[in-house]
Amino acid sequence: MSITLFGIKNCDTIKKARKWLDANNIECRFHDFRTDGLPETLLDQWFATLGWELLLNKRGTTWRQLPESTKENIDAASARTLMLENPAIIKRPVLEVCLSEADIQRYVGFKETEYNEIFSNLTS
């Protein structure tokens, strides 16, 4: 099993998720969008399994700074382009738990109760 946490290192939610993982002795690789980039193939996998609406962070500064016309006309194609150009617009963190090559579980956002459930189910 491998675990990867995707996001931006200075994001408060990422910090909370990393702190929780550390406190629970869960080894995890961190992938920073700003330094490690965002491969198109990975984003396409997320779109297929999670949906673009869940991934699009409409609460952040990046979204608020977009022109109104862009926000009003957002669709899957334009969201994909936005995310590739500026991964900071992706809701964070994205957690990938790879149980096998064929079984990759993905979660968006951080809530302590959800992480407790995710990882208790993996160990039971």
Side-chain angles (χ1 to χ4, degrees):
M1 175 172 69
S2 68
I3 300 166
T4 306
L5 190 72
F6 295 86
I8 297 168
K9 71 179 174 184
N10 62 346
C11 169
D12 288 340
T13 309
I14 291 292
K15 290 175 185 176
K16 289 176 190 173
R18 292 179 82 179
K19 184 177 178 181
W20 187 93
L21 291 164
D22 287 343
N24 288 277
N25 299 313
I26 297 170
E27 287 190 38
C28 164
R29 183 176 82 81
F30 178 64
H31 181 105
D32 190 321
F33 294 140
R34 290 203 172 124
T35 56
D36 303 323
L38 176 62
E40 285 186 54
T41 55
L42 181 61
L43 184 61
D44 290 342
Q45 290 169 10
W46 291 354
F47 267 47
T49 58
L50 298 167
W52 68 271
E53 297 95 338
L54 178 62
L55 289 166
L56 185 63
N57 182 4
K58 292 185 176 181
R59 291 183 166 179
T61 306
T62 306
W63 176 260
R64 288 193 301 267
Q65 292 175 346
L66 292 174
E68 285 303 316
S69 61
T70 301
K71 293 190 246 184
E72 290 168 4
N73 296 306
I74 196 80
D75 61 10
S78 58
R80 182 181 183 277
T81 300
L82 272 173
M83 290 178 196
L84 288 170
E85 290 173 356
N86 195 345
I89 204 163
I90 296 172
K91 188 181 280 184
R92 302 177 293 271
V94 175
L95 176 72
E96 281 194 349
V97 179
C98 185
L99 301 171
S100 70
E101 222 173 280
D103 188 2
I104 301 173
Q105 298 175 10
R106 297 180 173 105
Y107 308 90
V108 178
F110 172 74
K111 289 185 180 146
E112 189 172 331
T113 54
E114 183 181 21
Y115 272 44
N116 282 329
E117 187 177 316
I118 292 165
F119 289 101
S120 68
N121 288 340
L122 292 175
T123 56
S124 54

